[in-house]
mmCIF file of all heavy atoms in Angstrom:
data_model
loop_
_atom_site.group_PDB
_atom_site.id
_atom_site.type_symbol
_atom_site.label_atom_id
_atom_site.label_comp_id
_atom_site.label_asym_id
_atom_site.label_seq_id
_atom_site.Cartn_x
_atom_site.Cartn_y
_atom_site.Cartn_z
ATOM 1 N N ALA A 31 13.944 21.523 8.128
ATOM 2 C CA ALA A 31 13.383 20.227 7.739
ATOM 3 C C ALA A 31 12.083 20.394 6.968
ATOM 4 O O ALA A 31 11.725 19.554 6.140
ATOM 5 C CB ALA A 31 13.153 19.361 8.978
ATOM 6 N N ASP A 32 11.353 21.462 7.233
ATOM 7 C CA ASP A 32 10.080 21.697 6.566
ATOM 8 C C ASP A 32 10.269 22.117 5.122
ATOM 9 O O ASP A 32 9.348 22.026 4.310
ATOM 10 C CB ASP A 32 9.284 22.762 7.332
ATOM 11 C CG ASP A 32 7.880 22.931 6.793
ATOM 12 O OD1 ASP A 32 7.179 21.918 6.604
ATOM 13 O OD2 ASP A 32 7.480 24.087 6.528
ATOM 14 N N GLY A 33 11.452 22.578 4.768
ATOM 15 C CA GLY A 33 11.718 22.977 3.393
ATOM 16 C C GLY A 33 12.747 24.084 3.335
ATOM 17 O O GLY A 33 12.664 25.064 4.074
ATOM 18 N N THR A 34 13.720 23.920 2.455
ATOM 19 C CA THR A 34 14.778 24.910 2.314
ATOM 20 C C THR A 34 15.133 25.049 0.841
ATOM 21 O O THR A 34 14.549 24.362 -0.018
ATOM 22 C CB THR A 34 16.010 24.526 3.146
ATOM 23 O OG1 THR A 34 16.924 25.622 3.189
ATOM 24 C CG2 THR A 34 16.700 23.294 2.584
ATOM 25 N N MET A 35 16.071 25.917 0.525
ATOM 26 C CA MET A 35 16.527 26.059 -0.848
ATOM 27 C C MET A 35 17.431 24.869 -1.199
ATOM 28 O O MET A 35 18.282 24.483 -0.387
ATOM 29 C CB MET A 35 17.274 27.378 -1.025
ATOM 30 C CG MET A 35 16.378 28.601 -0.835
ATOM 31 S SD MET A 35 17.271 30.183 -0.903
ATOM 32 C CE MET A 35 17.774 30.207 -2.628
ATOM 33 N N PRO A 36 17.254 24.271 -2.365
ATOM 34 C CA PRO A 36 18.062 23.101 -2.728
ATOM 35 C C PRO A 36 19.554 23.369 -2.594
ATOM 36 O O PRO A 36 20.065 24.389 -3.075
ATOM 37 C CB PRO A 36 17.668 22.849 -4.186
ATOM 38 C CG PRO A 36 16.278 23.381 -4.284
ATOM 39 C CD PRO A 36 16.271 24.599 -3.408
ATOM 40 N N GLY A 37 20.243 22.456 -1.920
ATOM 41 C CA GLY A 37 21.681 22.565 -1.732
ATOM 42 C C GLY A 37 22.112 23.319 -0.505
ATOM 43 O O GLY A 37 23.306 23.354 -0.188
ATOM 44 N N ALA A 38 21.168 23.930 0.223
ATOM 45 C CA ALA A 38 21.530 24.720 1.403
ATOM 46 C C ALA A 38 21.930 23.824 2.564
ATOM 47 O O ALA A 38 21.438 22.699 2.707
ATOM 48 C CB ALA A 38 20.366 25.614 1.829
ATOM 49 N N ILE A 39 22.837 24.332 3.404
ATOM 50 C CA ILE A 39 23.150 23.672 4.663
ATOM 51 C C ILE A 39 22.488 24.456 5.788
ATOM 52 O O ILE A 39 22.168 25.632 5.642
ATOM 53 C CB ILE A 39 24.670 23.576 4.914
ATOM 54 C CG1 ILE A 39 25.286 24.987 5.108
ATOM 55 C CG2 ILE A 39 25.357 22.827 3.793
ATOM 56 C CD1 ILE A 39 26.686 24.961 5.678
ATOM 57 N N ASN A 40 22.260 23.796 6.903
ATOM 58 C CA ASN A 40 21.612 24.444 8.049
ATOM 59 C C ASN A 40 22.645 24.848 9.097
ATOM 60 O O ASN A 40 23.359 24.000 9.646
ATOM 61 C CB ASN A 40 20.591 23.478 8.663
ATOM 62 C CG ASN A 40 19.687 24.104 9.701
ATOM 63 O OD1 ASN A 40 19.164 23.436 10.583
ATOM 64 N ND2 ASN A 40 19.453 25.405 9.614
ATOM 65 N N VAL A 41 22.758 26.127 9.333
ATOM 66 C CA VAL A 41 23.589 26.665 10.411
ATOM 67 C C VAL A 41 22.657 27.526 11.261
ATOM 68 O O VAL A 41 22.595 28.747 11.097
ATOM 69 C CB VAL A 41 24.775 27.487 9.875
ATOM 70 C CG1 VAL A 41 25.666 27.955 11.030
ATOM 71 C CG2 VAL A 41 25.601 26.670 8.877
ATOM 72 N N PRO A 42 21.891 26.888 12.132
ATOM 73 C CA PRO A 42 20.851 27.628 12.853
ATOM 74 C C PRO A 42 21.427 28.614 13.857
ATOM 75 O O PRO A 42 22.316 28.266 14.637
ATOM 76 C CB PRO A 42 20.053 26.529 13.554
ATOM 77 C CG PRO A 42 21.008 25.389 13.687
ATOM 78 C CD PRO A 42 21.914 25.463 12.492
ATOM 79 N N LEU A 43 20.915 29.831 13.831
ATOM 80 C CA LEU A 43 21.300 30.798 14.845
ATOM 81 C C LEU A 43 20.747 30.368 16.197
ATOM 82 O O LEU A 43 21.402 30.518 17.230
ATOM 83 C CB LEU A 43 20.775 32.186 14.468
ATOM 84 C CG LEU A 43 21.603 33.359 14.986
ATOM 85 C CD1 LEU A 43 22.932 33.432 14.265
ATOM 86 C CD2 LEU A 43 20.850 34.676 14.827
ATOM 87 N N LEU A 44 19.544 29.806 16.185
ATOM 88 C CA LEU A 44 18.904 29.276 17.394
ATOM 89 C C LEU A 44 18.348 27.896 17.076
ATOM 90 O O LEU A 44 17.800 27.680 15.986
ATOM 91 C CB LEU A 44 17.752 30.180 17.839
ATOM 92 C CG LEU A 44 18.081 31.639 18.192
ATOM 93 C CD1 LEU A 44 16.792 32.432 18.359
ATOM 94 C CD2 LEU A 44 18.915 31.708 19.472
ATOM 95 N N ASP A 45 18.498 26.961 18.021
ATOM 96 C CA ASP A 45 17.882 25.663 17.795
ATOM 97 C C ASP A 45 16.383 25.756 18.081
ATOM 98 O O ASP A 45 15.854 26.826 18.425
ATOM 99 C CB ASP A 45 18.565 24.563 18.612
ATOM 100 C CG ASP A 45 18.434 24.752 20.128
ATOM 101 O OD1 ASP A 45 17.454 25.388 20.584
ATOM 102 O OD2 ASP A 45 19.311 24.251 20.863
ATOM 103 N N ASN A 46 15.671 24.624 17.943
ATOM 104 C CA ASN A 46 14.216 24.651 18.080
ATOM 105 C C ASN A 46 13.771 25.160 19.445
ATOM 106 O O ASN A 46 12.854 25.988 19.553
ATOM 107 C CB ASN A 46 13.647 23.246 17.844
ATOM 108 C CG ASN A 46 13.950 22.729 16.453
ATOM 109 O OD1 ASN A 46 14.123 23.505 15.510
ATOM 110 N ND2 ASN A 46 14.024 21.425 16.306
ATOM 111 N N VAL A 47 14.419 24.676 20.502
ATOM 112 C CA VAL A 47 14.038 25.064 21.866
ATOM 113 C C VAL A 47 14.380 26.532 22.111
ATOM 114 O O VAL A 47 13.577 27.284 22.680
ATOM 115 C CB VAL A 47 14.726 24.157 22.899
ATOM 116 C CG1 VAL A 47 14.417 24.634 24.314
ATOM 117 C CG2 VAL A 47 14.271 22.710 22.713
#
Side-chain angles (χ1 to χ4, degrees):
D32 187 49
T34 191
M35 295 175 67
I39 66 166
N40 190 205
V41 184
L43 209 70
L44 300 170
D45 64 27
N46 299 333
V47 175

